[in-house]
Amino acid sequence: MHVLITGAAGMLGARLAAHLATRGQVAGQAITRMTLVDAVTPALPRGAPQGQAVACDIAAPGVAAQVVAGRPDVIFHLAAVVSGEAEVDFDKGYAVNFDATRALFDAVRAAAYRPRVVFASSIAVFGAPFPAVIGDDYFATPRTSYGTQKAMAELLLNDYSRRGFMDGVALRLPTICIRPGAPNRAASGFFSNILREPLVGLPAVLPVPDTVRHWFASPQSAVGFMDHAAGLDMAALGEWRVLNMPGLSATVADQIEALRRVAGQKAVDLIRPEPDAAIASIVAGWPSDFDTARARTLGFVAETRFDQIIEAHLRG
């Protein structure tokens, strides 16, 4: 089984590569080759089978064709510009989040074979107004460039799968928390920052009121979603190959209370409210709760308490 991961130098991509290398299999079959691709050279994880790590721009002419020339059996497409950066840099957002995705899908179509494609989409495809709890049949109404780019890619994946060019599934990921490493330019980054930094004794800025409610899952759950999707029976999906992933609905106050339970008041005292109207405006247009019965019926699982998300981060 040949596995290709785009965005493999990113947080989720690197975790997924390490997870698959450790397991040694995907979709019930042994992994014999692994190809990792990103804008910078990814690191091949310890224990990875025969493979290569490549730095390239998939949107550049001819590059996507080279990436799929080895006819990978499973393609995990995670390459993306995060929400805040996509909103600030319109051209870059569309180039990476949409143009590169279409180039990859077209390269698969031209190669004339039918791999499983697992696409990392986002709950950002939904924008206000929406119901308090979003069900699987609610339509996408993005209010950001990032959300629009993800929604467009979902439609491409669904149509290319319908036409038999690929066997695709799009996973609408919750906001991933707690993201390890340094803060990034994602508008949602503060959800991780207000936990990650205080846990190691560093201050953190909270740009929104603690009444803000959002939809979360851990990095470990996200990797599990993708691994599970690679072996999913697509007959159970029907004509619409897009799934809202399970998660946990919680307010910022819920996050802080979980931090207090796990790390004490000293950690909570390191959080400093500092309102940011731009971030608050973006977050206000995001959904906060989902009914994910369809995904759960198909075997996808995630955390049910925020303490579990913090504990997962502490375990690494």
Side-chain angles (χ1 to χ4, degrees):
M1 182 75 77
H2 180 189
V3 172
L4 165 65
I5 303 175
T6 72
M11 185 273 291
L12 283 183
R15 279 179 174 263
L16 177 61
H19 168 80
L20 294 177
T22 298
R23 284 198 67 203
Q25 63 175 10
V26 66
Q29 298 186 47
I31 299 172
T32 57
R33 184 177 176 190
M34 185 177 286
T35 301
L36 307 181
V37 173
D38 209 321
V40 297
T41 305
L44 281 169
R46 180 176 299 178
Q50 174 189 357
Q52 61 180 141
V54 179
C56 63
D57 176 5
I58 299 175
V63 172
Q66 296 173 15
V67 168
V68 302
R71 298 171 71 87
D73 302 286
V74 180
I75 299 173
F76 295 98
H77 183 38
L78 280 63
V81 167
V82 295
S83 55
E85 188 173 3
E87 199 66 17
V88 170
D89 192 332
F90 183 87
D91 291 327
K92 183 177 182 180
Y94 272 89
V96 175
N97 294 343
F98 181 69
D99 295 342
T101 298
R102 183 171 185 185
L104 179 66
F105 291 0
D106 277 340
V108 169
R109 177 169 65 96
Y113 80 116
R114 196 167 182 260
R116 171 64 54 89
V117 177
V118 180
F119 170 61
S121 189
S122 168
I123 59 172
V125 300
F126 299 107
F130 38 62
V133 179
I134 294 177
D136 286 310
D137 58 353
Y138 194 74
F139 53 92
T141 54
R143 289 182 59 184
T144 63
S145 292
Y146 176 78
T148 300
Q149 293 147 14
K150 289 292 188 180
M152 293 165 67
E154 287 181 358
L155 291 172
L156 278 184
L157 178 140
N158 208 67
D159 192 41
Y160 281 43
S161 295
R162 179 184 67 83
R163 297 293 297 269
F165 304 143
M166 63 173 64
D167 186 21
V169 58
L171 308 182
R172 289 171 174 162
L173 300 179
T175 285
I176 303 305
C177 184
I178 301 168
R179 297 183 69 94
N184 63 18
R185 296 183 66 182
S188 61
F190 72 88
F191 288 120
S192 288
N193 302 348
I194 62 171
L195 302 174
R196 183 185 57 237
E197 271 62 45
L199 283 169
V200 293
L202 297 176
V205 170
L206 175 61
V208 302
D210 67 3
T211 54
V212 167
R213 179 175 290 277
H214 199 54
W215 187 244
F216 301 98
S218 71
Q220 290 88 340
S221 287
V223 167
F225 297 157
M226 293 175 194
D227 187 3
H228 185 64
L232 199 63
D233 178 5
M234 290 302 184
L237 285 181
E239 295 297 319
W240 183 233
R241 290 170 170 252
V242 181
L243 287 166
N244 297 331
M245 288 293 95
L248 168 65
S249 179
T251 65
V252 170
D254 293 332
Q255 289 186 270
I256 293 173
E257 283 306 307
L259 177 65
R260 182 179 284 109
R261 287 191 295 271
V262 174
Q265 185 62 39
K266 186 176 180 180
V268 172
D269 290 341
L270 291 168
I271 301 172
R272 182 178 74 254
E274 194 172 292
D276 185 315
I279 291 178
S281 176
I282 292 175
V283 173
W286 289 348
S288 59
D289 201 358
F290 288 81
D291 177 356
T292 57
R294 186 171 178 234
R296 291 184 184 279
T297 298
L298 292 169
F300 293 92
V301 295
E303 294 79 13
T304 57
R305 296 183 296 107
F306 217 98
D307 301 58
Q308 294 173 317
I309 289 179
I310 296 177
E311 290 159 3
H313 173 73
L314 293 175
R315 289 193 302 270

